[in-house]
Amino acid sequence: MAVCAKKRPPEEERRARANDREYNEKFQYASNCIKTSKYNILTFLPVNLFEQFQEVANTYFLFLLILQLIPQISSLSWFTTIVPLVLVLTITAVKDATDDYFRHKSDNQVNNRQSQVLINGILQQEQWMNVCVGDIIKLENNQFVAADLLLLSSSEPHGLCYIETAELDGETNMKVRQAIPVTSELGDISKLAKFDGEVICEPPNNKLDKFSGSLYWKGSKFPLSNQNTLLRGCVLRNTDWCFGLVVFAGPDTKLMQNSGRTKFKRTSIDRLMNTLVLWVRLPHLVPYPIPSGFPWVAPFAFISLSWSVVSVEVIRLGHSYFINWDRKMFCAKKRTPAEARTTTLSEELGQVEYIFSDKTGTLTQNIMVFNKCSINGHSYGDVFDVLGHKAELGERPEPVDFSFNPLADKKFLFWDPSLLEAVKMGDPHTHEFFRLLSLCHTVMSEEKNEGELYYKAQSPDEGALVTAARNFGFVFRSRTPKTITVYEMGTAITYQLLAILDFNNIRKRMSVIVRNPEGKIRLYCKGADTILLDRLHHSTQELLNTTTDHLNEYAGEGLRTLVLAYKDLDEEYYEEWAGRRLQASLAQDSREDRLASIYEEVESNMMLLGATAIEDKLQQGVPETIALLTLANIKIWVLTGDKQETAVNIGYSCKMLTDDMTEVFIVTGHTVLEVREELRKAREKMMDVSRTMGNGFTYQERLSSAKLTSVLEAVSGEYALVINGHSLAHALEADMELEFLETACACKAVICCRVTPLQKAQVVELVKKYKKAVTLAIGDGANDVSMIKTAHIGVGISGQEGIQAVLASDYSFSQFKFLQRLLLVHGRWSYLRMCKFLCYFFYKNFAFTMVHFWFGFFCGFSAQTVYDQYFITLYNIVYTSLPVLAMGVFDQDVPEQRSMEYPKLYEPGQLNLLFNKREFFICIAQGIYTSVLMFFIPYGVFAEATRDDGTQLADYQSFAVTVATSLVIVVSVQIGLDTGYWTAINHFFIWGSLAVYFAILFAMHSNGLFDMFPNQFRFVGNAQNTLAQPTVWLTIVLTTVVCIMPVVAFRFLRLHLKPDLSDTVRYSQLVRKKQKAQHRCLRRVGRTGSRRSGYAFSHQEGFGELIMSGKNMRLSSLALSSFSARPSSSWIESLRRKKSDGASSPSSVADKPLKG
């Protein structure tokens, strides 16, 4: 990430004095200006040219250009070399300038946002980029925080303010921040203008959840923590205003520290092309024995390779527009289309092996719904039919009617009427259950109009629970720092709030202590079942057993569960306990540990009330998308900042985790040794299970590091790995990262919880480094930006968490389900088209160039060319450019529906089967074979042939016209064979290119051009005379047949003896069409049709639905691949095994997944 400031030496500590710019400027802190663009007006030309000439092909072209400009060794005019190079550089420069323009536009939009800054005692409007460290700024409700601030004061009591941190951690729920008491009263402008406190704190870093420092003011020192800060990217909510002191600005803010660097992304085909260019052209850099032999090769190579760069860019541009125009990836609800934000990565979408996904807002809607509950041993939420069977969602009756409650949320739906009946009948357990939900929380209530309540919750779970209590008659209405007012069945009751024992990741529970109007003190507690069930009174054992069964049932459905309990406290005990709590809160050392011990004491021997089950609603189509991508041999890892329980529940909901899995390993170690031991046990468990299942792995094999990866990835059973952020920090250390990668890659699903944005990027980088596989990262928040930039392909979800992820992404759309279409349709087609384009391009250019090599033996390598110089210039630019572009843009092997139905079709891209070094040399061999026939057949015919008038046919110009015409016709027929999907554009370009060739040929040998340019077009009438001879046309036809027939024969035999999966799918599609046509014919002649034919027809229609359901997808796809393509399937699998074995070494544990 570039910034608007010069590089500075690393800081040891940050010192910032309020209202004193002169003092702060001597530290040369970064300004608040950010810059994500790469160029400016002055640097664009030199920097862009430098980047372009880092391409091996462009550097080679420049070297050839210099040689071609020397008349003594050049056989062609200057324009044949300069024009293509300038064209390539110009097209690329225009594309880069356009991309950078939008980056500048985005930067200016952010940097020019307005903020209120206190300058010389007056609040002034300043642009964000002019805000400096030490400034005091004022924020108002719903405004973005401009920089990392120390909260000084706010409009709320006790200096509280509420923020939304979606841009930072992906969570849309609100969080509370509080000013330290000494500054919380500085709400007046005059007082703030006199404030001269100095903050001394840690240097800039990327830790979002930690901040340590001190405020020095009026001779006193006040400790500062993360609770006192507002970070850039947050949004102020439910707070009229607040004031903050700028501590970190611009690139030093934690948001920008987590953004990562913008990396230049290049596809694997680009890298392969660089290697191939070196291979092919390296011999040309070596002096030839005959000095004049070099020049005739250079210009042809230059023109062909330079035009290939242009063609590739045009094809990629076309692919990106297809993504933009895809109506099936358009979200009508949000009016958001899919967008290809880059044009350089389209074919790599067809080679993805690993997907790294955020959870909140990407897989889920981040909308919690109260689904079920267990109260006093009775489960509510399921609806049963008259036979006692559980009713499915579509079979359920109308939802529960809450019209009795004028304060009910009309959006809330619940299907079990028996719970409302229990509430209305006054069941004490049910009333206490909902009373707890209405009191035990930190939700803020806002009532804009009478009876219109809006809840602002720190977590979506809390919001869902409080809303459920509201609808069932226990309405949380308002709160003060000391009271909570609840309307219980229409009666307003105010409880005195004595204490809040807040939730944290270690306690995993929350409690409140309240006094009711009768003076009775009660503690209400809700928390994770693993924690709370151990703190219940022994008298609740029977109820505990029943509730545990309900919890297991809810968890099996992927619901998020909480256990509810209460405890009565007598006045004397509470007073004594509250005194000890106050002392612990004032302690200078080990304050958190002391408070935890005090809380632990009171939260014991509680009485069980019941449990809740909440559904975190997945985005539409997420389970089906994950199932489909898994069948395409794509591994999906979830990297989330959410807690472990939440992430695991979502894993079950979206079917990443299933009850059928052999085991789910959970790594939670806090030290290096603990993490290493847990990973080792997981690997041993997988190996032991495989041995017991008869795989035959020996103990020595299990301990062999050289074969560890290949053995692990071949283990029997399905496993999942769940690892926490603090454990992941150790697992990513240099001496343990390979062990972590081995274990993770052997698992079907991997979930990393509580990870920081930087850890997300590190996980992606680890897989890129060792697995050598194409990675894709997808997310929707600013916390995903670093991961998106690190992966080969970054996808941004334009959701509810801002546009930071979209701005940093290569592709964007609004829903996760569109990912399957992006990869399986657009990605696979792009890879197929690009590979076919490159194979054909190298073929036609070797056929074109190598003719000169054979001609050199007969002209003494004198640098004389076979073709006319204008043919050399126009061959790639005019005669053969459009047909191959049409194929590269429009071609497809199977329709889009079949691409989605048969995800196995995606595998060739992952294995790089369609264009690699082997395929490249096959294209070269075919081109050389064609060039031999193209030269020697006309040469042999012309040696003996005569014209109609008996004169000798053999002359240089006639030979050149014959060879050139043969070449254009042969390559046109060849691209017709290569085209798998014919459109009107293909027909127009192929036959139109042939027509243009003959038109230009006759024009160049016409009297008109000779009269205008006698020195350039001297051979008047040569083309007409040559092509008027039957012998010439016979030669052209013979050459075409001999060049094309072996290709036709080879493809025919391969199709019948060794078809690949796409051949099988096309064949099955043809069979379906014939069956439907026959069926229509039978109906047309009046036959009713037999039951068997009707069944077959309906079976065909239902086959796609069965596959799309995901239930039998694996069987369907595998069955098809083995149906009539058994040799092809085994060939792909054997290749995968070879790659696995070859990559398994102590230095590189990288390997492709073996799962088919």
Side-chain angles (χ1 to χ4, degrees):
M1 180 66 66
V3 296
C4 302
K6 297 180 180 179
K7 285 190 175 182
R8 310 180 312 278
E11 298 179 41
E12 294 183 2
E13 66 178 13
R14 171 62 60 102
R15 306 176 74 96
R17 184 178 296 172
N19 295 314
D20 194 344
R21 283 194 172 186
E22 184 179 351
Y23 172 80
N24 297 321
E25 283 175 358
K26 69 181 183 180
F27 297 106
Q28 297 182 343
Y29 294 137
S31 72
N32 205 38
C33 172
I34 63 166
K35 180 183 175 185
T36 61
S37 56
K38 295 168 62 178
Y39 317 109
N40 59 40
I41 295 177
L42 296 178
T43 63
F44 174 73
L45 192 60
V47 173
N48 187 261
L49 287 176
F50 175 76
E51 289 178 346
Q52 290 200 55
F53 282 114
Q54 285 184 323
E55 294 280 349
V56 176
N58 287 344
T59 306
Y60 173 72
F61 297 159
L62 181 63
F63 175 75
L64 292 184
L65 172 61
I66 295 171
L67 293 179
Q68 287 302 298
L69 293 176
I70 303 174
Q72 289 76 10
I73 64 171
S74 177
S75 61
L76 296 174
S77 301
W78 59 271
F79 63 83
T80 61
T81 55
I82 291 181
V83 172
L85 178 62
V86 172
L87 189 61
V88 171
L89 297 179
T90 302
I91 290 176
T92 306
V94 169
K95 180 180 70 69
D96 292 342
T98 303
D99 292 343
D100 205 56
Y101 166 75
F102 288 108
R103 285 192 286 265
H104 272 286
K105 192 174 179 180
S106 172
D107 291 342
N108 291 334
Q109 182 183 0
V110 173
N111 290 328
N112 290 316
R113 286 178 180 172
Q114 296 294 310
S115 186
Q116 299 182 65
V117 183
L118 186 62
I119 301 176
N120 299 324
I122 302 173
L123 278 177
Q124 301 180 13
Q125 290 288 338
E126 281 283 355
Q127 295 173 328
W128 275 24
M129 61 182 173
N130 296 328
V131 172
C132 300
V133 172
D135 287 350
I136 293 177
I137 66 176
K138 181 181 180 181
L139 296 174
E140 295 180 346
N141 193 32
N142 297 326
Q143 282 189 345
F144 277 94
V145 180
D148 287 357
L149 309 177
L150 170 66
L151 179 61
L152 298 177
S153 60
S154 77
S155 59
E156 301 299 306
H158 311 292
L160 292 173
C161 78
Y162 302 92
I163 58 172
E164 187 178 277
T165 61
E167 292 283 350
L168 290 173
D169 55 18
E171 297 181 4
T172 55
N173 50 283
M174 286 199 304
K175 294 179 173 60
V176 180
R177 295 292 183 265
Q178 185 173 15
I180 59 176
V182 72
T183 66
S184 62
E185 303 301 325
L186 299 178
D188 186 74
I189 298 294
S190 58
K191 294 180 180 178
L192 286 166
K194 297 176 183 178
F195 177 65
D196 61 352
E198 183 174 5
V199 173
I200 300 178
C201 63
E202 63 190 16
N205 59 73
N206 56 23
K207 297 176 181 177
L208 295 173
D209 57 346
K210 291 184 180 180
F211 177 82
S212 62
S214 300
L215 172 64
Y216 293 84
W217 189 39
K218 294 182 178 179
S220 300
K221 176 182 177 182
F222 306 96
L224 304 175
S225 69
N226 196 53
Q227 284 296 109
N228 311 126
T229 62
L230 306 179
L231 302 184
R232 179 180 179 133
C234 297
V235 182
L236 192 68
R237 300 292 192 197
N238 283 15
T239 307
D240 292 336
W241 53 263
C242 73
F243 286 95
L245 172 68
V246 177
V247 180
F248 300 118
D252 293 340
T253 58
K254 292 183 183 289
L255 173 66
M256 302 305 290
Q257 290 280 313
N258 273 286
S259 293
R261 288 183 171 273
T262 301
K263 299 183 179 181
F264 178 68
K265 296 183 178 182
R266 180 178 295 164
T267 67
S268 57
I269 287 182
D270 285 336
R271 293 189 291 270
L272 178 60
M273 285 283 288
N274 279 344
T275 304
L276 298 179
V277 168
L278 284 176
W279 284 6
V280 172
R281 300 307 169 199
L282 191 60
H284 299 157
L285 304 181
V286 181
Y288 278 75
I290 302 174
S292 61
F294 172 77
W296 58 260
V297 178
F300 310 143
F302 173 78
I303 295 171
S304 62
L305 287 177
S306 63
W307 193 250
S308 73
V309 176
V310 176
S311 302
V312 165
E313 293 299 327
V314 172
I315 291 171
R316 287 172 172 168
L317 183 64
H319 295 167
S320 66
Y321 275 113
F322 286 151
I323 294 173
N324 295 342
W325 294 337
D326 191 344
R327 298 293 299 177
K328 293 183 179 178
M329 295 173 68
F330 176 81
C331 180
K333 183 178 180 181
K334 298 180 180 178
R335 310 282 307 166
T336 306
E339 181 183 5
R341 299 175 54 81
T342 182
T343 59
T344 59
L345 301 172
S346 56
E347 70 270 15
E348 201 143 66
L349 288 171
Q351 299 179 278
V352 174
E353 291 190 57
Y354 286 85
I355 292 176
F356 300 91
S357 174
D358 179 39
K359 181 193 73 66
T360 306
T362 302
L363 298 179
T364 70
Q365 302 176 35
N366 202 26
I367 298 174
M368 306 298 175
V369 177
F370 183 82
N371 194 287
K372 295 180 181 180
C373 63
S374 172
I375 303 175
N376 195 36
H378 188 88
S379 179
Y380 298 94
D382 288 321
V383 181
F384 298 90
D385 57 23
V386 292
L387 298 177
H389 300 136
K390 187 183 295 186
E392 298 297 331
L393 185 60
E395 304 168 349
R396 292 177 178 177
E398 290 296 316
V400 174
D401 182 11
F402 293 105
S403 58
F404 79 97
N405 182 2
L407 295 176
D409 185 346
K410 295 179 175 56
K411 297 179 182 179
F412 179 84
L413 298 177
F414 197 76
W415 305 93
D416 187 355
S418 62
L419 180 57
L420 183 58
E421 292 172 6
V423 172
K424 289 181 175 180
M425 292 177 63
D427 178 60
H429 299 290
T430 306
H431 278 216
E432 198 66 19
F433 179 89
F434 285 114
R435 184 175 292 115
L436 184 152
L437 294 183
S438 65
L439 293 171
C440 186
H441 57 77
T442 57
V443 174
M444 303 297 297
S445 175
E446 184 178 357
E447 191 167 355
K448 296 182 179 179
N449 300 312
E450 180 67 26
E452 294 183 12
L453 292 174
Y454 297 92
Y455 289 152
K456 300 295 183 181
Q458 275 198 321
S459 72
D461 303 69
E462 277 200 334
L465 294 175
V466 176
T467 300
R470 167 185 175 180
N471 275 57
F472 282 99
F474 288 75
V475 184
F476 163 63
R477 197 69 181 265
S478 62
R479 78 188 311 145
T480 69
K482 297 296 182 182
T483 64
I484 298 178
T485 300
V486 177
Y487 274 58
E488 298 184 0
M489 304 304 290
T491 304
I493 300 177
T494 299
Y495 292 85
Q496 184 181 354
L497 181 61
L498 302 178
I500 296 179
L501 286 57
D502 212 351
F503 177 92
N504 64 39
N505 291 328
I506 298 175
R507 284 168 37 77
K508 296 184 180 179
R509 62 189 183 276
M510 175 199 175
S511 300
V512 295
I513 300 177
V514 296
R515 179 184 280 116
N516 64 15
E518 290 77 31
K520 189 175 181 181
I521 300 175
R522 178 166 285 187
L523 175 142
Y524 292 107
C525 182
K526 66 181 180 185
D529 53 356
T530 54
I531 301 296
L532 218 60
L533 295 182
D534 295 333
R535 288 166 172 76
L536 300 178
H537 194 274
H538 60 83
S539 63
T540 63
Q541 187 60 48
E542 185 177 347
L543 176 59
L544 172 61
N545 295 335
T546 306
T547 305
T548 302
D549 292 338
H550 292 158
L551 287 169
N552 293 334
E553 178 187 339
Y554 300 156
E557 297 174 16
L559 303 178
R560 300 154 63 98
T561 58
L562 285 176
V563 173
L564 311 184
Y566 70 93
K567 179 180 180 180
D568 289 321
L569 305 176
D570 58 54
E571 187 75 34
E572 183 180 348
Y573 171 77
Y574 168 73
E575 293 295 340
E576 185 267 336
W577 178 87
R580 289 188 286 120
R581 175 175 175 265
L582 179 62
Q583 292 179 358
S585 64
L586 296 175
Q588 294 295 320
D589 56 330
S590 304
R591 182 174 63 180
E592 292 183 359
D593 292 339
R594 294 187 183 187
L595 283 174
S597 177
I598 297 294
Y599 293 167
E600 185 89 16
E601 174 192 327
V602 74
E603 294 172 329
S604 60
N605 293 321
M606 294 183 289
M607 304 300 294
L608 179 61
L609 261 178
T612 63
I614 295 176
E615 179 186 5
D616 184 1
K617 296 184 78 68
L618 289 174
Q619 287 190 19
Q620 184 182 4
V622 167
E624 294 83 359
T625 299
I626 289 178
L628 204 61
L629 295 176
T630 301
L631 290 176
N633 202 47
I634 298 174
K635 290 193 173 184
I636 301 177
W637 294 19
V638 172
L639 312 178
T640 176
D642 218 332
K643 58 183 180 180
Q644 176 186 311
E645 293 83 2
T646 304
V648 170
N649 282 334
I650 292 300
Y652 279 104
S653 298
C654 65
K655 302 298 187 283
M656 280 184 63
L657 306 178
T658 65
D659 293 329
D660 297 330
M661 282 186 161
T662 309
E663 189 160 345
V664 177
F665 301 109
I666 297 180
V667 179
T668 58
H670 286 80
T671 66
V672 175
L673 293 178
E674 289 176 357
V675 174
R676 191 188 301 274
E677 181 65 17
E678 289 178 7
L679 291 175
R680 184 188 62 80
K681 288 182 177 179
R683 292 195 300 274
E684 286 189 353
K685 181 67 177 291
M686 287 188 275
M687 298 299 301
D688 290 339
V689 171
S690 295
R691 183 178 59 180
T692 57
M693 295 178 71
N695 278 21
F697 295 124
T698 65
Y699 183 75
Q700 287 74 17
E701 282 178 314
R702 294 204 310 273
L703 296 182
S704 173
S705 61
K707 295 185 179 181
L708 185 55
T709 301
S710 59
V711 171
L712 272 179
E713 293 196 8
V715 296
S716 300
E718 292 184 342
Y719 300 90
L721 178 68
V722 179
I723 183 169
N724 275 306
H726 53 79
S727 304
L728 185 63
H730 297 304
L732 292 176
E733 293 179 1
D735 60 340
M736 205 191 304
E737 60 182 12
L738 293 184
E739 295 181 44
F740 167 65
L741 189 65
E742 291 165 5
T743 311
C745 289
C747 297
K748 179 183 177 183
V750 178
I751 299 176
C752 301
C753 319
R754 287 295 182 196
V755 294
T756 66
L758 197 60
Q759 283 180 323
K760 292 184 178 184
Q762 289 172 338
V763 172
V764 176
E765 188 63 43
L766 180 65
V767 175
K768 284 177 61 179
K769 179 180 178 182
Y770 290 106
K771 298 298 293 181
K772 308 299 181 186
V774 177
T775 59
L776 181 147
I778 179 170
D780 70 324
N783 58 320
D784 304 313
V785 168
S786 186
M787 169 178 74
I788 286 172
K789 289 182 176 180
T790 303
H792 292 97
I793 302 168
V795 177
I797 299 287
S798 49
Q800 302 178 17
E801 300 184 13
I803 59 171
Q804 290 286 341
V806 172
L807 292 176
S809 66
D810 304 305
Y811 300 90
S812 68
F813 39 73
S814 61
Q815 295 185 42
F816 183 83
K817 68 177 182 179
F818 294 145
L819 186 61
Q820 58 177 307
R821 187 168 178 82
L822 181 70
L823 299 184
L824 301 185
V825 177
H826 292 288
R828 202 183 71 81
W829 278 353
S830 295
Y831 174 73
L832 171 74
R833 292 163 178 167
M834 187 61 70
C835 292
K836 292 181 75 171
F837 163 79
L838 291 173
C839 288
Y840 174 78
F841 195 91
F842 280 112
Y843 154 74
K844 76 182 180 71
N845 280 292
F846 267 89
F848 164 71
T849 305
M850 290 303 294
V851 169
H852 293 272
F853 181 73
W854 313 123
F855 183 65
F857 289 102
F858 298 88
C859 70
F861 290 96
S862 61
Q864 184 179 12
T865 60
V866 175
Y867 313 115
D868 181 86
Q869 63 177 356
Y870 295 101
F871 179 83
I872 294 172
T873 303
L874 298 176
Y875 175 73
N876 274 296
I877 298 177
V878 177
Y879 300 151
T880 62
S881 61
L882 294 181
V884 71
L885 282 178
M887 181 181 70
V889 172
F890 299 108
D891 200 49
Q892 50 184 266
D893 54 347
V894 297
E896 60 183 63
Q897 297 90 342
R898 301 293 175 256
S899 294
M900 303 281 279
E901 285 181 12
Y902 307 119
K904 277 285 184 180
L905 290 167
Y906 192 78
E907 284 197 4
Q910 296 171 321
L911 297 172
N912 206 21
L913 297 180
L914 302 185
F915 186 75
N916 48 42
K917 294 170 185 175
R918 175 178 173 271
E919 293 295 324
F920 172 72
F921 284 112
I922 290 176
C923 296
I924 289 180
Q926 185 184 356
I928 293 174
Y929 164 79
T930 301
S931 70
V932 170
L933 299 176
M934 199 83 64
F935 178 80
F936 284 104
I937 290 179
Y939 183 83
V941 171
F942 272 54
E944 303 294 337
T946 59
R947 298 180 184 272
D948 293 340
D949 58 3
T951 59
Q952 187 70 23
L953 180 62
D955 64 74
Y956 171 72
Q957 282 300 319
S958 298
F959 182 75
V961 169
T962 304
V963 173
T965 304
S966 300
L967 175 64
V968 173
I969 292 176
V970 167
V971 297
S972 297
V973 173
Q974 180 65 48
I975 198 167
L977 291 174
D978 289 345
T979 301
Y981 181 73
W982 284 85
T983 66
I985 296 176
N986 293 86
H987 283 288
F988 178 76
F989 281 173
I990 291 177
W991 313 126
S993 295
L994 280 173
V996 167
Y997 164 73
F998 284 109
I1000 294 176
L1001 178 66
F1002 291 135
M1004 286 194 302
H1005 294 83
S1006 65
N1007 289 322
L1009 281 180
F1010 173 75
D1011 293 338
M1012 288 186 288
F1013 307 102
N1015 294 328
Q1016 295 294 327
F1017 302 98
R1018 296 188 293 269
F1019 303 99
V1020 179
N1022 177 69
Q1024 292 86 337
N1025 293 334
T1026 302
L1027 295 178
Q1029 302 299 317
T1031 306
V1032 172
W1033 281 107
L1034 183 63
T1035 304
I1036 293 172
V1037 172
L1038 177 63
T1039 304
T1040 303
V1041 171
V1042 175
C1043 289
I1044 296 299
M1045 283 309 296
V1047 178
V1048 175
F1050 172 78
R1051 294 187 181 183
F1052 176 81
L1053 292 173
R1054 190 190 66 179
L1055 186 64
H1056 286 77
L1057 300 179
K1058 198 176 182 181
D1060 57 28
L1061 185 54
S1062 62
D1063 296 327
T1064 308
V1065 172
R1066 282 198 300 272
Y1067 176 76
S1068 67
Q1069 186 181 2
L1070 243 131
V1071 171
R1072 289 181 182 185
K1073 286 182 178 179
K1074 289 181 179 179
Q1075 288 177 345
K1076 289 182 180 180
Q1078 291 172 359
H1079 185 71
R1080 285 195 294 269
C1081 290
L1082 290 174
R1083 288 194 299 178
R1084 197 176 298 124
V1085 299
R1087 289 190 56 182
T1088 57
S1090 67
R1091 173 178 290 274
R1092 186 178 67 174
S1093 64
Y1095 173 78
F1097 184 80
S1098 65
H1099 178 74
Q1100 292 291 346
E1101 289 299 307
F1103 189 56
E1105 293 184 8
L1106 180 64
I1107 290 175
M1108 292 304 293
S1109 70
K1111 296 178 181 178
N1112 293 323
M1113 185 79 67
R1114 185 183 303 276
L1115 178 61
S1116 303
S1117 186
L1118 289 174
L1120 180 66
S1121 63
S1122 61
F1123 169 63
S1124 58
R1126 294 183 187 276
S1128 175
S1129 177
S1130 60
W1131 172 56
I1132 290 180
E1133 294 303 323
S1134 62
L1135 177 60
R1136 187 181 294 282
R1137 293 191 194 96
K1138 287 179 181 178
K1139 294 182 75 173
S1140 299
D1141 294 339
S1144 300
S1145 62
S1147 61
S1148 174
V1149 302
D1151 190 30
K1152 309 286 184 186
L1154 288 174
K1155 191 178 294 180

